[in-house]
Amino acid sequence: MTPWKYKNFSGNADRYLNILENKIMKEVLNKLNNIKISSYILFGYSLSGLFSLYTASKSKLFNKFGSVSGSLWYRNFSSYFEKYNYKDKTFYLSLGEKEKFSKNNDLKKVEDETLKIYKFLKENNKVYFEFNNGGHFNNEKERIIKCIEYLTGN
């Protein structure tokens, strides 16, 4: 789910996105037949939250994106992300307030990088950001539910 190779990460996000859009979603949409769909939502937690925002820069199918405790610390991601226009897209970002206190030098950057992306998106897009109590592995289900509720308007 990572956009490019970095340390032990393979950088196969493009391959996965191709499978998601051209196989998985194609089959889902075929089964739904003539049901009118107004939004295509993609969200994720941790590395899949990174993948969700990476997809926003590539996909013409999805139009709402959530990143819950996303791995937005990933090397050069915010610089990459800010090169694109996200007109007519909606975003939800959240982060645990203690995530930046990691002993890992990459993970320590997560708050700064997430806020950088939030500020960039806030200029021209519909975006919501919130801090949650705890660290990366606290209240995951509740945090995912908040993301879904925001992106679905419930």
Side-chain angles (χ1 to χ4, degrees):
M1 299 201 141
T2 56
W4 43 82
K5 287 184 180 186
Y6 178 59
K7 293 187 177 183
N8 295 328
F9 299 101
S10 62
N12 287 319
D14 288 327
R15 188 173 70 110
Y16 183 68
L17 178 58
N18 183 49
I19 292 168
L20 177 62
E21 288 188 332
N22 296 310
K23 291 184 181 176
I24 297 170
M25 288 302 294
K26 202 175 237 183
E27 187 172 323
V28 168
L29 294 173
N30 282 338
K31 291 192 184 288
L32 291 175
N33 266 342
N34 297 320
I35 296 175
K36 186 177 191 280
I37 299 171
S38 60
S39 294
Y40 292 87
I41 299 171
L42 184 65
F43 68 91
Y45 198 99
S46 197
L47 279 175
S48 61
L50 170 70
F51 175 75
S52 174
L53 291 194
Y54 178 72
T55 297
S57 73
K58 300 266 183 178
S59 179
K60 290 182 173 62
L61 176 63
F62 295 98
N63 59 344
K64 293 185 178 185
F65 303 88
S67 180
V68 181
S69 284
S71 298
L72 306 184
W73 54 262
Y74 203 79
R75 186 186 65 175
N76 300 324
F77 184 72
S78 61
S79 298
Y80 165 85
F81 188 81
E82 291 176 357
K83 293 178 183 174
Y84 292 87
N85 180 344
Y86 301 99
K87 186 180 178 207
D88 300 324
K89 295 183 180 182
T90 301
F91 295 87
Y92 174 93
L93 307 172
S94 72
L95 196 61
E97 63 189 3
K98 294 182 181 177
E99 291 190 53
K100 69 179 177 183
F101 298 115
S102 172
K103 292 178 183 174
N104 179 294
N105 286 330
D106 285 326
L107 302 180
K108 283 180 182 181
K109 301 172 189 170
V110 70
E111 184 174 308
D112 290 339
E113 296 300 312
T114 301
L115 290 174
K116 186 186 291 185
I117 288 171
Y118 169 63
K119 287 174 186 167
F120 167 77
L121 287 171
K122 197 166 85 167
E123 292 178 14
N124 297 303
N125 301 277
K126 184 174 179 186
V127 59
Y128 179 78
F129 171 80
E130 70 177 323
F131 278 111
N132 294 287
N133 292 328
H136 189 72
F137 297 106
N138 295 113
N139 305 314
E140 300 99 328
K141 290 177 189 172
E142 292 85 357
R143 293 163 70 184
I144 290 169
I145 289 168
K146 287 197 269 185
C147 175
I148 293 168
E149 287 176 340
Y150 177 80
L151 293 174
T152 59
N154 295 325

